[in-house]
Amino acid sequence: MPNRNDYRTILKEYWGYDDFRGIQHEIIESIGSGQDTLGLMPTGGGKSITFQVPAMAMKGVCLVITPLIALMKDQVTNLRKLGIRAAYINSSMSHAEVLTTLENCVYGGIQLLYVSPERLSSELFRIKIKHTEVSFITVDEAHCISQWGYDFRPSYLEIIKIRQLKPDAPVLALTATATPEVVDDIQERLGFRRKNVFKMSFERKNLAYIVRHATDKDEQLLHILNSVKGSAIVYVRNRKRTVELARLLTESGIDALAYNAGLDSEVRSMRQEEWSTSKVRVMVATNAFGMGIDKPDVRVVIHMDCPSSLEAYFQEAGRAGRDGKKSYAVLLYNNADSSKLIKRITDTFPAKEYVQKVYEHLAYFYEMAVGDGCGVTKEFNMDKFCVAFKHFPVQVESALNILTRAGYIIYDEENGNRARLHFTLGREELYRLNHLSDSENAIITALLRCYGGLFVDYQYVNESFIAQQAGMSTVEVYALLKALDAKHILHFIPQKKTPYITYLRDREDGEDIVLTPSVYDDRKSEMEKRIKKMTEYANNDGKCRSRMLLGYFGEMRSDNCGQCDVCIERKTNHLSQQRLSPAKQCIAELLGDGKRHHITELRRINIDSEIIDEALEDLLSEEKIRMNGSFIFIQA
């Protein structure tokens, strides 16, 4: 086991920091001593250091399981710049590239290997990892393994099988959002030998939580962004709204871009880069824009629509103010939001009979006979399916997710088709071109050097690999390939995501589909509880918002934050009462004789007339005095 000084030496040598912060060191020492460890650290708490430093100090490969494809690419790139041997495996890589990476792990050439949870079920991965020395297994976004959490992902259940392959490798689980119930569930599902939790306070002293009740949310959005300067994220529920709001902001003189899962991956990367480097001030996004964002100077996060859980809200709001400077998390809320939240329950958990019907229609769609289908994988066209059987996409997607949890199918909407291209010009014509830029020539040279058969047919290409060979970024490569396509020099088909459905068992009659409580009823009940807590937070006007959030995550506090809208309102009311108190006392003394007094008598009181008027209104609203015409008197 490395000692305390070893860890600090590594931290200083590679990252330039003199010492750890928060609970980083306790977590590192725990996993370094071979103990299963759960670290609860809020957004910006420095999670990556807790596994990257011990990975450098320990022998073998640190296996990092994360659902964040963009994050794994960024972290591997940054680690390599530091001279650390890191790699990742994802769906954009060829079989040969995956095999080479895993072979490097077997022979000790890699210190950190990043993989998605879906990769764990691959037979090739399991064979190779069995022959690899694994120092420890890191599970990022560990709340995804809990069925009681807000973001359960069935693929996380594969992690326990990897533990069985590598029983001596301890597990480091990390998350920024977990209730006490989820904390226990994470440790149980990951097979912890004993409970072992390190927790930072979730309190964010620089972040003011605000709920603003707004009828016209667009108007409020403009008002907030004109009042609070600096970088901002605006969260909305649907893709169309990202485009509409980005246009509204741009037309109002505020630089903004739209970001959602419907955009091409390279377009998303370009837009994130523009926002991250502050070329654009505001990102209007769905929750597809979230995990792994590492921009410290976000001054305000605004939610136009109410999230379905406090976990989701806390994590998204926590992307503001990671530099420690004053920042704001604003939820715009009105009466319509409550009914929308309730509708999400029925959208997410359509009636069991409806789920059975979708399963039946899926069989008709694929012409799958009863007793057939086990192991069959088919491409799934949502639009075509919904038109054919008169369904709505939201409910269909929910039904497919429920059938996945029930073990009948796997609905994989993240399956990627790799980029392809071929030259439309012949080799001689290509060589005669003399009007291309240096960058375009560099791309063509890299393509011809790295891939054969491009003049004959489409070939799969890897944009990251081309970028490496040409000395460019993947964003530049994508833009140049699109430009060459527009000039009819080559035909480029970008990488795209296509949903697939795999039957895990032979097709049954729809009415025989069984949805157990753990698959349907219990999870629906949990969602109802989370939405109830979310609406209580939004409608609350009496309790400090920071205390409410901290209490939800099991952190009981008695002190108020002093900066949320509830605390500010309470402070304002207190100051107002202090200011009005002398005037109210004088009015009470005047009326203390029990007689009716004309309102003009108040002018004899030696206090500013505006304060007297406010005090009078206050006493009338509190029903402590009454008024009849121009006369006032004590309330009987």
Side-chain angles (χ1 to χ4, degrees):
M1 170 186 167
N3 62 43
R4 178 182 293 259
N5 291 330
D6 290 336
Y7 295 133
R8 284 206 174 92
T9 300
I10 291 168
L11 182 71
K12 180 67 176 176
E13 180 182 349
Y14 288 93
W15 285 273
Y17 302 129
D18 292 321
D19 208 346
F20 298 100
R21 59 190 175 96
I23 58 172
Q24 287 177 330
H25 196 262
E26 291 93 321
I27 292 174
I28 289 169
E29 286 200 322
S30 177
I31 193 67
S33 64
Q35 300 179 67
D36 294 332
T37 306
L38 172 57
L40 301 174
M41 306 174 74
T43 304
K47 286 191 295 179
S48 58
I49 288 292
T50 65
F51 62 85
Q52 290 171 352
V53 167
M56 296 292 294
M58 297 165 71
K59 191 179 179 184
V61 178
C62 170
L63 183 62
V64 184
I65 300 166
T66 175
L68 313 176
I69 304 301
L71 177 64
M72 68 168 71
K73 290 180 179 179
D74 289 343
Q75 287 207 1
V76 167
T77 299
N78 292 332
L79 288 169
R80 285 176 175 172
K81 287 178 182 176
L82 296 174
I84 296 170
R85 300 191 307 276
Y88 62 79
I89 296 175
N90 66 30
S91 57
S92 69
M93 297 167 65
S94 68
H95 177 82
E97 290 168 329
V98 171
L99 184 60
T100 299
T101 301
L102 290 173
E103 290 284 359
N104 283 338
C105 290
V106 172
Y107 294 111
I110 290 173
Q111 292 162 297
L112 291 110
L113 176 66
Y114 288 74
V115 298
S116 68
E118 289 77 15
R119 178 64 54 179
L120 304 181
S121 58
S122 157
E123 189 64 26
L124 173 63
F125 178 84
R126 291 189 180 184
I127 290 170
K128 293 299 180 182
I129 214 69
K130 191 174 182 179
H131 295 92
T132 299
E133 184 176 5
V134 175
S135 55
F136 62 98
I137 300 167
T138 298
V139 182
D140 197 17
E141 307 298 336
H143 61 272
C144 293
I145 202 170
S146 173
Q147 295 203 47
W148 310 123
Y150 77 102
D151 194 21
F152 170 65
R153 304 191 186 195
S155 56
Y156 266 67
L157 300 178
E158 294 292 323
I159 297 172
I160 195 68
K161 297 177 183 177
I162 299 300
R163 289 217 72 178
Q164 291 163 1
L165 287 177
K166 311 301 295 185
D168 296 330
V171 166
L172 171 60
L174 298 167
T175 182
T177 48
T179 62
E181 182 182 36
V182 171
V183 167
D184 289 339
D185 200 33
I186 289 171
Q187 294 174 90
E188 182 179 340
R189 290 183 177 277
L190 287 175
F192 272 41
R193 298 176 183 91
R194 67 177 183 84
K195 289 188 176 182
N196 186 29
V197 182
F198 294 86
K199 181 178 180 180
M200 277 179 70
S201 171
F202 285 169
E203 184 180 18
R204 296 285 304 280
K205 291 185 177 180
N206 65 308
L207 184 57
Y209 297 101
I210 309 292
V211 175
R212 184 165 287 181
H213 291 263
T215 304
D216 188 340
K217 293 188 178 185
D218 291 0
E219 181 184 17
Q220 283 293 323
L221 173 66
L222 289 169
H223 172 74
I224 294 165
L225 290 174
N226 284 322
S227 302
V228 180
K229 304 305 178 185
S231 186
I233 304 173
V234 178
Y235 280 113
V236 295
R237 282 285 295 179
N238 64 65
R239 299 175 183 181
K240 181 182 176 184
R241 194 80 173 109
T242 64
V243 177
E244 292 172 348
L245 278 183
R247 186 183 301 120
L248 169 70
L249 294 177
T250 302
E251 290 172 353
S252 302
I254 298 172
D255 291 335
L257 287 172
Y259 186 105
N260 60 65
L263 298 170
D264 184 272
S265 61
E266 292 297 331
V267 174
R268 293 202 304 272
S269 295
M270 283 190 281
R271 293 188 177 185
Q272 182 163 341
E273 177 69 16
E274 286 187 69
W275 178 80
S276 297
T277 54
S278 298
K279 293 176 183 175
V280 172
R281 180 187 167 199
V282 181
M283 186 69 88
V284 185
T286 59
N287 62 4
F289 184 73
M291 295 180 184
I293 292 173
D294 190 21
K295 184 171 172 60
D297 61 344
V298 178
R299 294 278 68 87
V300 60
V301 171
I302 303 169
H303 280 82
M304 299 292 286
D305 302 298
C306 196
S308 298
S309 71
L310 284 175
E311 290 99 327
Y313 179 69
F314 185 78
Q315 190 164 66
E316 290 163 10
R319 291 170 188 138
R322 291 177 59 175
D323 57 4
K325 297 178 182 178
K326 183 63 180 288
S327 305
Y328 300 88
V330 184
L331 170 62
L332 298 181
Y333 188 82
N334 58 38
N335 292 334
D337 287 302
S338 180
S339 56
K340 288 177 183 176
L341 285 172
I342 292 170
K343 185 177 183 297
R344 282 182 211 166
I345 298 171
T346 55
D347 282 345
T348 307
F349 291 93
K352 292 180 182 180
E353 294 77 15
Y354 179 83
V355 178
Q356 293 171 333
K357 185 189 294 184
V358 167
Y359 179 83
E360 195 76 7
H361 287 170
L362 200 63
Y364 300 156
F365 189 60
Y366 292 132
E367 299 180 347
M368 190 80 67
V370 172
D372 287 341
C374 183
V376 171
T377 298
K378 300 270 191 179
E379 187 173 318
F380 182 68
N381 187 315
M382 176 69 82
D383 292 336
K384 188 175 179 181
F385 179 82
C386 289
V387 169
F389 298 99
K390 297 180 173 58
H391 289 304
F392 292 103
V394 171
Q395 288 88 348
V396 168
E397 185 166 358
S398 295
L400 295 175
N401 286 328
I402 291 168
L403 289 166
T404 296
R405 287 198 298 271
Y408 290 96
I409 63 169
I410 293 177
Y411 172 53
D412 181 6
E413 54 182 327
E414 295 296 321
N415 207 314
N417 286 341
R418 292 165 56 210
R420 293 174 291 158
L421 66 80
H422 84 96
F423 282 104
T424 52
L425 294 181
R427 190 181 294 272
E428 295 301 321
E429 293 175 290
L430 185 64
Y431 290 155
R432 284 198 294 269
L433 293 177
N434 56 15
H435 62 278
L436 299 180
S437 68
D438 290 344
S439 297
E440 289 171 328
N441 279 320
I443 289 292
I444 291 172
T445 301
L447 286 169
L448 295 175
R449 185 183 298 136
C450 300
Y451 300 97
L454 291 171
F455 294 99
V456 179
D457 201 355
Y458 288 96
Q459 302 296 328
Y460 289 111
V461 296
N462 184 314
E463 292 159 52
S464 299
F465 182 59
I466 298 168
Q468 185 181 353
Q469 295 298 309
M472 302 175 186
S473 70
T474 53
V475 173
E476 290 173 316
V477 168
Y478 176 83
L480 286 165
L481 289 174
K482 293 290 280 185
L484 291 168
D485 183 292
K487 292 178 180 179
H488 305 293
I489 293 169
L490 55 78
H491 188 208
F492 172 54
I493 303 174
Q495 178 178 324
K496 69 170 185 175
K497 288 182 178 178
T498 305
Y500 283 86
I501 286 175
T502 300
Y503 278 80
L504 294 179
R505 56 175 93 169
D506 287 332
R507 181 216 156 177
E508 302 177 23
D509 279 324
E511 61 186 21
D512 293 332
I513 295 297
V514 177
L515 303 177
T516 62
S518 64
V519 166
Y520 188 93
D521 300 292
D522 293 347
R523 288 187 57 76
K524 182 179 180 182
S525 176
E526 284 299 315
M527 185 177 187
E528 289 169 344
K529 289 177 187 175
R530 285 196 296 273
I531 282 180
K532 182 181 178 184
K533 289 292 185 182
M534 189 71 235
T535 54
E536 285 176 359
Y537 173 85
N539 289 310
N540 157 69
D541 60 5
K543 186 175 181 179
C544 168
R545 297 203 186 277
S546 180
R547 279 180 63 195
M548 282 191 78
L549 289 168
L550 294 174
Y552 182 75
F553 293 110
E555 190 173 331
M556 296 302 137
R557 303 295 293 266
S558 58
D559 54 323
N560 294 327
C561 72
Q563 61 182 354
C564 70
D565 60 298
V566 174
C567 287
I568 291 171
E569 179 68 21
R570 186 183 293 117
K571 200 182 298 180
T572 303
N573 287 340
H574 178 67
L575 291 172
S576 178
Q577 289 304 316
Q578 282 185 321
R579 185 171 66 95
L580 296 179
S581 183
K584 291 168 81 172
Q585 181 65 32
C586 289
I587 294 171
E589 289 174 3
L590 175 67
L591 302 181
D593 58 7
K595 297 179 181 179
R596 292 155 61 92
H597 291 262
H598 197 276
I599 197 169
T600 54
E601 294 181 50
L602 298 179
R603 303 298 173 227
R604 299 174 195 164
I605 299 174
N606 191 25
I607 295 177
D608 186 279
S609 60
E610 286 187 12
I611 295 178
I612 291 291
D613 290 343
E614 281 186 55
L616 180 62
E617 287 180 20
D618 224 25
L619 289 167
L620 287 167
S621 66
E622 293 170 0
E623 297 185 348
K624 291 180 179 177
I625 66 172
R626 291 185 64 186
M627 190 170 186
N628 187 358
S630 297
F631 290 89
I632 54 175
F633 49 94
I634 293 288
Q635 174 73 48

